[in-house]
Amino acid sequence: MTEVTERFTPPTRFAVPGRIAVGEQAAAVWQPATITEVRRETPLAATFRLAVPGWVGHLPGQHLMLRLTAADGYVAQRHYSIASAPDDSGHIELTLDHVEGGEVSGWFHTVARPGDTVEVRGPVSGFFAWPGDRPALLVGAGSGVVPLMSMVRHHRARGLDVPLRLLVSARGPEELIYAREYGAETTPVFTRRAPQGVPVGRMAAAHVAPLLAEQPPGGWEAYVCGSNGFAEHASRLLVAAGQPVDRIRIERFG
Ligand SMILES: Cc1cc2nc3c(=O)[nH]c(=O)nc-3n(C[C@H](O)[C@H](O)[C@H](O)COP(=O)(O)OP(=O)(O)OC[C@H]3O[C@@H](n4cnc5c(N)ncnc54)[C@H](O)[C@@H]3O)c2cc1C
């Protein structure tokens, strides 16, 4: 799959058709972000709502840089997708998996409390952004659903009628992030445990084919997000089902 994914690495910032321009200034400036709320999503994932008074806004699918600075000056910096839809609340939401032994996710899950302040920079990267103007076929696994959920929320909040479908993979129902929020646009796939009557297994051609059979006017723009392995598997399925390679955007968390 490297031959597929490598096509999506833009050689220069604005060389890829459909790439969204990123505000250079917002992407360059660190600003304080204060945790205002923590919501548990699954046993391993939680959503952190942050007040960011200087936030310039984002498009669904974009991510930010986040940094923690320890009292001795040690700095840890990571990328996180923005889970919330764009709005003018002065807040954004991130959803973090608790990675075992993870420096930054460990701090969020075991130390962070409302009132704590971190620093963010962004939004960065317009490649995975969805402006809401084209039919969107979203395929994610685990916390890879986070930027896709921003798109689903945007679609709902704006009452958009452009077609949008979400195919999301999780190990079991209890690990399905945002489970309560999904509607008719979503098909969950369970790889280890499933509710009675629902098959267990890896995402397969049978999940992708009915979505591609729909073919809305102008065709689908596919957005794939998850681990390296998942991104390769899912984009192979899409290509095999007829999705054009140059209309698959991939974000890898690995
Ligand atoms: C564009 C982008 C967007 C991202 N968005 C999100 C998001 O919305 N939510 C989210 O939870 N994460 C997201 N990530 C992953 C995130 O940046 C961190 O890698 C993750 O939180 C782990 O950081 P850490 O400091 O906790 O672990 P580290 O201290 O960096 O790593 C600890 C150990 O865990 C391993 N490890 C690191 N990352 C992972 C992982 N993702 N899965 C399994 N093992 C891992 C490392 O190899 C190491 O052994 C995103 C990554 C990218 C590149």
Side-chain angles (χ1 to χ4, degrees), residues 44-46 61-65 68 74 76-83 93-107 109 124-125 143-147 177-178 225 227 251-254:
L44 279 183
Q62 285 192 288
H63 66 271
L64 51 68
M65 296 297 302
L68 302 179
Y74 175 78
Q77 187 173 307
R78 303 285 183 273
H79 301 261
Y80 288 105
S81 296
I82 302 160
E93 293 187 352
L94 308 179
T95 300
L96 272 67
D97 256 338
H98 190 174
V99 172
E100 202 182 330
E103 223 167 40
V104 172
S105 66
W107 181 85
H109 279 271
V124 292
S125 173
S143 56
V145 75
V146 174
I177 301 176
Y178 313 128
C225 187
S227 64
E251 183 107 287
R252 286 174 283 177
F253 283 7

Side-chain angles (χ1 to χ4, degrees), residues 18-102:
R19 189 179 179 104
I20 313 293
V22 174
E24 294 293 338
Q25 205 180 339
V29 176
W30 287 104
Q31 49 183 318
T34 303
I35 300 173
T36 58
E37 189 190 334
V38 181
R39 288 199 312 273
R40 181 133 302 280
E41 301 285 356
T42 71
L44 279 183
T47 291
F48 299 84
R49 187 167 174 81
L50 304 170
V52 192
W55 190 247
V56 295
H58 62 277
L59 287 167
Q62 285 192 288
H63 66 271
L64 51 68
M65 296 297 302
L66 183 143
R67 82 178 174 195
L68 302 179
T69 306
D72 63 1
Y74 175 78
V75 172
Q77 187 173 307
R78 303 285 183 273
H79 301 261
Y80 288 105
S81 296
I82 302 160
S84 45
D87 61 25
D88 54 7
S89 66
H91 287 71
I92 53 171
E93 293 187 352
L94 308 179
T95 300
L96 272 67
D97 256 338
H98 190 174
V99 172
E100 202 182 330

Side-chain angles (χ1 to χ4, degrees), residues 117-202:
T117 296
V118 300
E119 286 176 291
V120 297
R121 178 164 77 70
V124 292
S125 173
F127 181 63
F128 202 70
W130 179 66
D133 62 348
R134 56 197 82 159
L137 181 55
L138 317 178
V139 186
S143 56
V145 75
V146 174
L148 310 180
M149 196 58 194
S150 176
M151 302 176 191
V152 172
R153 288 169 166 162
H154 181 62
H155 189 262
R156 282 192 198 149
R158 298 290 166 100
L160 301 179
D161 53 18
V162 63
L164 174 143
R165 302 283 179 273
L166 171 64
L167 193 54
V168 56
S169 172
R171 275 183 283 213
E174 70 291 345
E175 291 185 43
L176 183 63
I177 301 176
Y178 313 128
R180 289 182 305 272
E181 282 189 58
Y182 297 128
E185 79 290 322
T186 299
T187 308
V189 177
F190 298 112
T191 58
R192 305 256 177 95
R193 300 166 297 283
Q196 216 174 5
V198 176
V200 174
R202 212 175 177 209

